[in-house]
Amino acid sequence: HNGPAKTTTYFLPKQTGTTFEAAFRGRQIHGRSVDLPHGYAGHVVESTTGSFGAFENDTSARVELLSVEQFTSITVWEHDQLPRPDDEAISALAWTK
């Protein structure tokens, strides 16, 4: 299968505190919720002026972004085991301190 996954139907993580367990496309995965550092937030953005692909051919192209969602934590997932505290995705947040 190479199409979109029906995540709202089949991806149903079980949460225990700040950890999660789920199956995705037949594989067991484990997640750990990680708070973003104090004073930081993530944003889900969408373009209000055009495609992000415009930059491929024209580096002077202007794309305006609109924040449509904001978040203060992320979930880091790993196959078959819980992500370690020194996981690359978690460690990447250390530069903000």
Side-chain angles (χ1 to χ4, degrees):
H1 181 269
N2 63 359
K6 296 180 181 179
T7 55
T8 57
T9 303
Y10 298 109
F11 187 67
L12 305 169
K14 296 176 190 164
Q15 183 174 0
T16 305
T18 60
T19 63
F20 300 85
E21 186 176 315
F24 185 69
R25 292 193 173 175
R27 289 198 61 186
Q28 189 73 18
I29 59 175
H30 299 270
R32 179 186 305 274
S33 181
V34 180
D35 290 333
L36 298 180
H38 179 73
Y40 286 83
H43 292 266
V44 177
V45 298
E46 48 182 55
S47 172
T48 60
T49 57
S51 168
F52 289 114
F55 288 110
E56 290 180 22
N57 298 319
D58 181 4
T59 57
S60 66
R62 180 178 171 155
V63 175
E64 293 181 14
L65 304 175
L66 174 66
S67 177
V68 294
E69 295 286 337
Q70 185 173 333
F71 55 91
T72 58
S73 67
I74 60 172
T75 303
V76 179
W77 294 95
E78 188 69 50
H79 290 286
D80 303 322
Q81 65 183 1
L82 194 60
R84 297 177 323 277
D86 64 343
D87 181 273
E88 291 177 359
I90 297 170
S91 296
L93 298 174
W95 70 269
T96 61
K97 295 179 181 176

